[in-house]
Amino acid sequence: MNELDRRFLDEAIAQARIGLEEGGIPIGAALVAEGVLLGAGHNRRIQMGSPIRHGETDALEVAGRQPAAVYRKSTMYTTLSPCDMCTGAILLYSIPRVVIGENHTFMGAEDLLRERGLDVVVADDAECIALMEAFIVKNPELWNEDIGE
């Protein structure tokens, strides 16, 4: 990870903290193109009663409609390994790079991203791990609901 990666992963972490403060699941994301933050969001499944408002999909929603060329120059920063749904959104919009805060508490579809030629960076960020571990211990029912168990 470079300095720019650190900056935008920190933005995703800030979003995760906002989600936690709102009573939600602490997963945040940021969509960035050529060093410009297009949109940042957090898991709002609980807050909105939504089955699809994960961190990555929320960041895409906040970024709004973008030309295909913009997505193809983008990086998705996410505090947690992306689930199948979020992986699908990343692939759908041809986002070529994903920076993941951690994959210890949940391993998403990283292998599919790599198989499809994406640049996948796992930061093993201690803050991301601590946020999720504490949440899972305190809220196992909500966590299991979020991951479909």
Side-chain angles (χ1 to χ4, degrees), residues 59-133:
L60 285 164
E61 179 71 20
V62 171
R65 292 175 55 200
Q66 299 292 327
V70 171
Y71 292 118
R72 290 186 193 118
K73 298 176 187 175
S74 296
T75 297
M76 178 65 78
Y77 293 86
T78 180
T79 59
L80 186 65
S81 183
C83 71
D84 289 346
M85 179 178 67
C86 295
T87 294
I90 290 164
L91 293 172
L92 177 67
Y93 290 106
S94 300
I95 297 168
R97 187 166 184 265
V98 181
V99 175
I100 298 167
E102 67 104 349
N103 60 10
H104 295 270
T105 59
F106 177 78
M107 174 61 80
E110 293 175 32
D111 288 343
L112 178 58
L113 293 171
R114 287 184 187 96
E115 286 171 17
R116 296 286 291 271
L118 276 71
D119 179 16
V120 177
V121 177
V122 179
D124 287 326
D125 185 84
E127 187 173 1
C128 291
I129 295 167
L131 270 171
M132 284 310 304
E133 285 179 344

